[in-house]
Amino acid sequence: MRDSSLAAQAHLILPLAGKPSNAPDADHGNFFKATTYDEAYWDDYMAARAKYSSDFYDRIFAYYNAHHDASSQTQAVAHDIGTGPGQVAAELCAHFNTVIASDTNSTHLAVAAARLARAGLKDRVTWTPSGAEDLANQYPPASASLLTVAECLPLLDVPRAMTTFAHLLQPQGTLAVWFYGRPAFSEPEFAATCQPILNEILDLTFEKAIKGSSPVHKAAWKSAADTLESFLDDVHLSPDVWRDVYRYKWNPHLPMPVSGPNACDYPIEPSSNIDTETETVVEQKDPQFWAESWDVDEVRRFVECLIPVFAEKKANGEYEHVEPKYLALERAMGGKEAKRAFTWPVVLILATRK
């Protein structure tokens, strides 16, 4: 992957000149684009997120190395799509000399650039404001050898995004898409008593945002919910375009959507586009996967960081009705200081561009 002879080429893969940015900060129905650069919020956000383990990244890089033609004269380029605060882009910098990070939200790019600057990595990355679906307007065909798409595909127009990914990847290039869902109490006793309360908290927190949203936003919510309930099985990878498709699922018995049917006023409809003849599905139940140990305040931090404007709405009293549920959760967890074990439902799709 990394080649010291390419060190000076870190910014040679640039967006196509003169192409429009497609107004990356415009409202296309993505609720999570309404963010501001509040350093305290982003510190809490990162602390509350699932931590991608080294063996998880190793699986991706091993797949990439097994399929990438190292003798090719084509430059090895990693492109992190929907980079958010940039943690995946930072990891890619350890393996590739040329890294691109794109995001539909310019605030996310500013946050990511600031965080990578602390590690001396900001200038190793080319930053591109663009929605994932519009990257074909920004980059030429076969401009990347690895695409990472973490925690964002269900929020996109998936068919358009998949067409764009095929455009961006070099032949034999790797697509790595992953998503994790709501945290789950992993100890059986607390899974039985605490998880239903956490599920209620999530539903109550999201109910107004979902049911009171505009038609554009509501359509986006439903599309994301359908894909998440499907564990991304509805993502179609045409065998005419992709080969060696692997779908890894950790804890597929756990619900993937962050909120459930009680928060919605539409049906959640899972489906599958898995090609059983050409794709491999690997499932594993693992209560230790990306394990966390949280007290009730850390659970609260996870929930509140899911909504970028939560603090403002909370100050206006919009979530007072949720507080009794947090008190119930505190008691069920064994008190304010009690820490309980958590795990996550996770899916990783790996595929090679033909």
Side-chain angles (χ1 to χ4, degrees):
M1 286 175 279
R2 288 198 69 186
D3 180 343
S4 59
S5 67
L6 298 177
Q9 301 182 35
H11 291 275
L12 292 184
I13 305 299
L14 297 174
L16 295 171
K19 292 292 184 180
S21 65
N22 292 289
D25 288 315
D27 183 0
H28 299 299
N30 188 344
F31 172 80
F32 297 96
K33 289 164 62 175
T35 54
T36 57
Y37 194 162
D38 179 338
E39 196 66 32
Y41 166 79
W42 287 103
D43 287 343
D44 282 346
Y45 177 91
M46 290 301 297
R49 298 301 90 196
K51 312 301 187 294
Y52 306 148
S53 58
S54 58
D55 59 336
F56 182 80
Y57 281 120
D58 289 345
R59 185 185 298 271
I60 295 170
F61 295 134
Y63 181 96
Y64 171 86
N65 286 327
H67 293 82
H68 177 65
D69 183 1
S71 65
S72 171
Q73 297 300 308
T74 306
Q75 184 178 357
V77 178
H79 186 158
D80 184 37
I81 295 173
T83 196
Q87 71 269 40
V88 177
E91 179 69 24
L92 294 175
C93 286
H95 299 269
F96 289 80
N97 284 300
T98 305
V99 176
I100 301 166
S102 61
D103 200 288
T104 189
N105 191 333
S106 57
T107 298
H108 293 176
L109 293 177
V111 171
R115 300 185 78 89
L116 267 65
R118 300 174 195 169
L121 297 175
K122 177 184 176 182
D123 293 337
R124 290 279 317 282
V125 178
T126 296
W127 306 95
T128 303
S130 175
E133 303 93 332
D134 299 318
L135 283 165
N137 296 325
Q138 306 293 314
Y139 287 94
S143 59
S145 50
L146 171 65
L147 298 181
T148 53
V149 188
E151 207 65 10
C152 69
L153 184 62
L155 309 178
L156 307 177
D157 180 331
V158 175
R160 282 188 62 211
M162 293 300 296
T163 298
T164 298
F165 300 160
H167 166 94
L168 294 174
L169 272 174
Q170 302 163 0
Q172 315 312 316
T174 293
L175 173 66
V177 173
W178 67 93
F179 207 95
Y180 62 86
R182 78 180 79 168
F185 287 86
S186 55
E187 299 162 290
E189 173 189 351
F190 296 100
T193 58
C194 297
Q195 192 68 44
I197 304 173
L198 175 55
N199 293 345
E200 285 187 86
I201 288 171
L202 288 164
D203 284 350
L204 289 171
T205 300
F206 276 87
E207 182 178 29
K208 184 175 180 179
I210 295 174
K211 292 182 178 178
S213 61
S214 69
V216 170
H217 277 86
K218 191 166 292 186
W221 280 113
K222 175 173 168 45
S223 176
D226 290 347
T227 294
L228 291 174
E229 187 69 18
S230 304
F231 235 79
L232 274 64
D233 288 352
D234 62 338
V235 176
H236 178 56
L237 291 107
S238 170
D240 295 331
V241 180
W242 307 98
R243 67 178 181 87
D244 292 347
V245 176
Y246 282 79
R247 298 176 186 257
Y248 294 97
K249 301 178 183 181
W250 292 268
N251 299 319
H253 63 292
L254 298 174
M256 179 71 79
V258 72
S259 57
N262 290 338
C264 310
D265 53 2
Y266 47 74
I268 299 177
E269 301 169 307
S271 61
S272 177
N273 283 312
I274 293 178
D275 187 326
T276 57
E277 297 295 322
T278 62
E279 300 184 20
T280 301
V281 179
V282 181
E283 297 187 351
Q284 181 180 357
K285 185 176 181 180
D286 182 0
Q288 299 300 316
F289 193 78
W290 293 354
E292 296 281 1
S293 180
W294 285 347
D295 60 29
V296 69
D297 286 338
E298 289 166 312
V299 174
R300 179 190 289 270
R301 179 177 61 184
F302 169 83
V303 175
E304 295 187 356
C305 286
L306 288 170
I307 299 179
V309 294
F310 187 93
E312 177 184 341
K313 291 180 178 294
K314 184 177 181 179
N316 292 331
E318 290 192 26
Y319 295 105
E320 288 183 4
H321 63 296
V322 188
E323 290 306 310
K325 296 298 180 183
Y326 279 111
L327 291 175
L329 183 61
E330 179 182 318
R331 290 192 294 268
M333 290 178 67
K336 191 171 182 62
E337 305 299 325
K339 286 184 175 284
R340 299 301 169 205
F342 289 82
T343 189
W344 308 83
V346 180
V347 57
L348 167 67
I349 300 174
L350 295 172
T352 297
R353 178 72 165 96
K354 284 188 172 180

